[in-house]
Amino acid sequence: TFILALDAGIVGDENFPTLLMDVALLRSLNIRVVLVHGAAEGIRALAGAQRVEVSDLEGTGVTDAPTLELALTAANRLTHEILEGLTAHDLRAACPNAITSHPLGIIQGVDHLFTGRVERVDTEFLQALLNMAVVPILPPLGFDGDGRTYRVNSDDVAVAVAAQLNAVKLIFVTSGQGLMYRDEPIRQMLVGDLLQLLRKDSAGFTPEMLSRAQHAVRACHAGVPRVHVVDGRLEEGLLAEVFD
């Protein structure tokens, strides 16, 4: 099982159809794939068009009601685009309500409103879909027991799903270069060495790269054998990373 964590920006990239072709090839090799996508780029675009001030883009800060509405619209649009692309390659896919979340709550006196944290992954549901050769698509949204929706961080979802499904790979597919440290690419690194680097010089990573590195460490400590960060804009970049 591979978990592909897609940046929202990569869905609109001209190479995205090729990326989905790579997913179809993985499925033809009996590799089960789960897609987790973000929504930040879509939220930013909608906010600009509607002239709405966004309280948070990544699902880690405070999500107010207008931002949640934008997140719902952006996430649903991206899910639909992915469904369209997978359908073009004769792949069956579904968007299940497999992520249970609870409010992040009040942290250091700040109420995070509609920002949630991943509480549980319905692995039985996801396994049933995978057993039927269905590709699950998970947006950065979670639901509580009363049906309320919360904005969750997509990387948190990807790590939780990878750990719960015992995935052999978690692959972050970004709209930029791979994992960069002080403008130099990290080609390969043991998780212990990466953790030491984060503790010693976290300032060497951009905020986005820092988040990727931290989530990579979390995933490895949760039992995922390998975590990859690939540039989704490169033709056959995913396949080259997986098979070379």
Side-chain angles (χ1 to χ4, degrees), residues 9 39-40 63 111 185 197:
T63 302
D111 189 346
L197 185 60

Side-chain angles (χ1 to χ4, degrees), residues 1-231:
T1 302
F2 289 4
I3 311 300
L4 269 59
L6 308 177
D7 273 2
I10 203 63
V11 177
D13 188 83
E14 61 182 11
N15 191 54
F16 189 62
T18 303
L19 183 66
L20 292 182
M21 192 181 302
D22 294 347
V23 172
L25 177 59
L26 294 177
R27 285 294 307 117
S28 72
L29 298 172
N30 291 323
I31 296 172
R32 309 195 307 173
V33 177
V34 178
L35 299 180
V36 181
H37 70 80
E41 292 298 324
I43 295 171
R44 184 181 290 111
L46 285 172
Q50 299 180 18
R51 298 181 180 179
V52 175
E53 185 174 348
V54 177
S55 62
D56 177 66
L57 283 173
E58 303 297 337
T60 54
V62 177
T63 302
D64 59 17
T67 301
L68 178 63
E69 287 300 314
L70 294 178
L72 287 169
T73 302
N76 289 332
R77 285 183 181 178
L78 288 171
T79 298
H80 185 75
E81 288 182 38
I82 295 171
L83 283 168
E84 286 182 333
L86 293 175
T87 302
H89 294 290
D90 296 323
L91 293 176
R92 294 192 298 166
C95 179
N97 56 341
I99 303 299
T100 299
S101 64
H102 289 162
L104 200 57
I106 298 174
I107 300 177
Q108 296 181 343
V110 178
D111 189 346
H112 283 60
L113 300 175
F114 297 102
T115 300
R117 64 179 184 273
V118 178
E119 285 290 326
R120 188 175 68 87
V121 177
D122 191 341
T123 53
E124 183 178 352
F125 190 7
L126 293 178
Q127 291 284 16
L129 292 173
L130 292 168
N131 290 339
M132 294 188 295
V134 174
V135 178
I137 303 171
L138 300 177
L141 302 169
F143 307 89
D144 68 9
D146 295 321
R148 287 185 290 264
T149 303
Y150 296 95
R151 171 85 163 98
V152 292
N153 180 266
S154 61
D155 290 345
D156 286 344
V157 173
V159 170
V161 172
Q164 292 297 310
L165 291 180
N166 297 316
V168 298
K169 290 183 185 291
L170 167 58
I171 305 173
F172 291 106
V173 183
T174 74
S175 51
Q177 294 175 307
L179 190 61
M180 305 289 291
Y181 170 72
R182 296 202 175 277
D183 297 325
E184 293 293 330
I186 296 177
R187 298 298 184 189
Q188 184 168 320
M189 183 175 283
L190 294 174
V191 65
D193 295 336
L194 179 56
L195 183 57
Q196 287 185 3
L197 185 60
L198 287 169
R199 288 172 174 171
K200 181 178 69 175
D201 186 25
S202 62
F205 296 91
T206 65
E208 181 181 2
M209 292 296 170
L210 179 61
S211 176
R212 288 280 184 270
Q214 291 170 334
H215 280 92
V217 169
R218 282 184 52 211
C220 289
H221 284 168
V224 181
R226 288 185 180 272
V227 180
H228 305 255
V229 183
V230 303
D231 188 343

